[in-house]
Amino acid sequence: MPQDSLLGPVHKAVPEGDNRERLVCRDCGFIHYQNPKVVIGAIVTWQDKFLLCRRAIEPRRGYWTMPAGYLELNEGSEAGAKREAWEEARAAIAIDGLLAIYDVPRLSQVQIIYRAHLTEPDFAPGEESLDVKLFAWDDIPWSALAFPSVHWALHHHRDSVASGDFSARGRVG
Amino acid sequence: MPQDSLLGPVHKAVPEGDNRERLVCRDCGFIHYQNPKVVIGAIVTWQDKFLLCRRAIEPRRGYWTMPAGYLELNEGSEAGAKREAWEEARAAIAIDGLLAIYDVPRLSQVQIIYRAHLTEPDFAPGEESLDVKLFAWDDIPWSALAFPSVHWALHHHRDSVASGDFSARGRVG
């Protein structure tokens, strides 16, 4: 495979019939249409506790997160949230509703976060996790959370339960 | 530009460190990671009427839709819904909340649909519309709606207003 960094869809050009610059390959003509990515995840509870995973991979290895990851092709968003809970925490979850949508335009990312609960209190670290635990609110490792959206989602969850207002929250991060 | 159809990222292979088949280019080594696409849109009202656009483009040219389209890179979902309302209906809108998330895994599409209202009763067809109109519920051209999600969103909007329950709806289409 050639190592020349000018190969591949790395040249900016406006394709015919389009109105924005895209990355094109001058060699094979491929146009690389880039789109925002969808992250799906869930705040998962068991009784009054919250399921968090300690990341085994970068970025933020060693920090705690809710089960979440990129939506795959031909996958629904609830199905994706269940898959991530299984992959990261070997947890079977049931979806209770939509918690929030977080926009991170800087990263071209839309996060769709559900409220969910464990269907039974069984879990274990998946390949991408060092550890998985249930935390009471006051025991959550706030200073060791992996991403701002983990903070937002935990607090939005608490607000929803406290107020009884389960309309979806939004935030631009 | 070579016309050989075997050029470009058209070969299936599992990249090193990955666990799924991706499309790769044997010529330049580019890996084409494909992801689901995000559609953003809004059910836009003015008093008790609904803003719909008659499509000037395929698919479903001549049929009626809510303002909606693909989220762009580095764009938030609410900002995207406002942009589409402007592009398709020359309408300035204010977002009232999230109406629904529709998953269409068959098309690898996630639709994020907001509730919104016109900030003033001014609108006109944009480039992608033949016509734009406000319809009372009973006058909506039900048999000439462009997509199933337009039906779903109009009915979910009506249900939300009637019940006072503004939690986000979901549906897998």
Side-chain angles (χ1 to χ4, degrees), chain B residues 37-116:
Chain B
K37 289 198 171 64
V38 181
V39 168
I40 38 73
I43 292 293
V44 180
T45 55
W46 175 255
Q47 295 162 353
D48 288 335
K49 294 186 172 178
F50 297 85
L51 187 80
L52 297 176
C53 310
R54 197 162 159 248
R55 290 172 62 83
I57 54 173
E58 295 295 347
R60 303 291 279 163
R61 186 175 194 278
Y63 289 79
W64 294 86
T65 185
M66 58 196 157
Y70 289 114
L71 187 65
E72 290 283 350
L73 285 179
N74 301 121
E75 182 178 61
S77 58
E78 293 194 12
K82 289 180 184 177
R83 176 183 51 75
E84 290 290 346
W86 179 254
E87 288 182 3
E88 299 187 357
R90 294 291 178 257
I93 66 172
I95 303 286
D96 296 314
L98 182 70
L99 176 65
I101 291 187
Y102 300 131
D103 286 303
V104 192
R106 178 176 49 91
L107 303 177
S108 290
Q109 202 178 80
V110 178
Q111 303 190 2
I112 299 176
I113 309 297
Y114 287 95
R115 288 181 291 112

Side-chain angles (χ1 to χ4, degrees), chain B residues 94-165:
Chain B
I95 303 286
D96 296 314
L98 182 70
L99 176 65
I101 291 187
Y102 300 131
D103 286 303
V104 192
R106 178 176 49 91
L107 303 177
S108 290
Q109 202 178 80
V110 178
Q111 303 190 2
I112 299 176
I113 309 297
Y114 287 95
R115 288 181 291 112
H117 63 271
L118 292 175
T119 57
E120 46 193 348
D122 289 340
F123 51 85
E127 271 187 22
E128 297 178 7
S129 303
L130 297 169
D131 198 1
V132 178
K133 279 189 189 168
L134 283 172
F135 290 97
W137 181 262
D138 290 336
D139 298 330
I140 289 172
W142 296 105
S143 61
L145 296 183
F147 307 108
S149 56
V150 185
H151 283 268
W152 305 339
L154 285 166
H155 282 94
H156 281 158
H157 190 283
R158 189 172 168 88
D159 291 348
S160 293
V161 171
S163 67
D165 171 8

